[in-house]
Amino acid sequence: MNDYPEKTCEIDRLIRHPKLVSAALAGDKTQQRRDGLYAYPGETFVLEGVEFEVTAVERQRIGDMSDADAQAEGYPNLAVYKDLILRMHSGMEWNDDGLVWLHCFKRRQPE
């Protein structure tokens, strides 16, 4: 394992919103950005009985996000993602230099 800091939250809180859970289950969501570190690579979590594995975790500037990243988050494009984030967090400003933790994941295949 790389030298990651201690987690700031438990992995079961990585994806909570019903629309995002549905997007992950449909295969439309494969990334989740958070202010804190919620998981390490190789850890698993379960959404509605389906197991997912965290495949990568990295620090990322929020300003480095692309439309493809927003789509991997389950949104049609970066503008929609940005608008939603700002509405969800009243008083927050979009700071391109702000750092987030990018959690990449995939559905685990039954063994």
Side-chain angles (χ1 to χ4, degrees):
M1 181 165 87
N2 289 335
D3 291 324
Y4 294 105
E6 186 174 326
K7 291 194 288 185
T8 55
C9 205
E10 294 301 315
I11 193 171
D12 63 341
R13 298 188 52 82
L14 183 63
I15 302 172
R16 300 281 307 243
H17 192 281
K19 287 184 180 181
L20 300 179
V21 169
S22 293
L25 291 169
D28 297 329
K29 179 175 182 59
T30 59
Q31 296 180 358
Q32 178 68 50
R33 284 162 181 78
R34 294 283 189 187
D35 273 346
L37 182 61
Y38 285 49
Y40 301 124
E43 283 191 87
T44 61
F45 60 98
V46 177
L47 300 174
E48 296 183 10
V50 177
E51 190 174 25
F52 291 82
E53 180 179 353
V54 176
T55 57
V57 176
E58 65 183 59
R59 205 70 162 131
Q60 182 187 56
R61 282 181 62 250
I62 195 77
D64 290 338
M65 278 188 74
S66 66
D67 278 337
D69 291 322
Q71 290 166 358
E73 282 266 5
Y75 299 93
N77 58 50
L78 185 56
V80 170
Y81 175 84
K82 182 177 176 178
D83 180 63
L84 179 76
I85 294 297
L86 293 175
R87 283 189 288 128
M88 284 176 52
H89 302 282
S90 66
M92 178 183 165
E93 292 183 22
W94 189 268
N95 176 2
D96 282 343
D97 290 325
L99 294 175
V100 294
W101 284 100
L102 166 61
H103 302 78
C104 299
F105 57 90
K106 68 178 180 179
R107 181 186 286 236
R108 284 194 78 187
Q109 300 301 320
E111 295 181 13

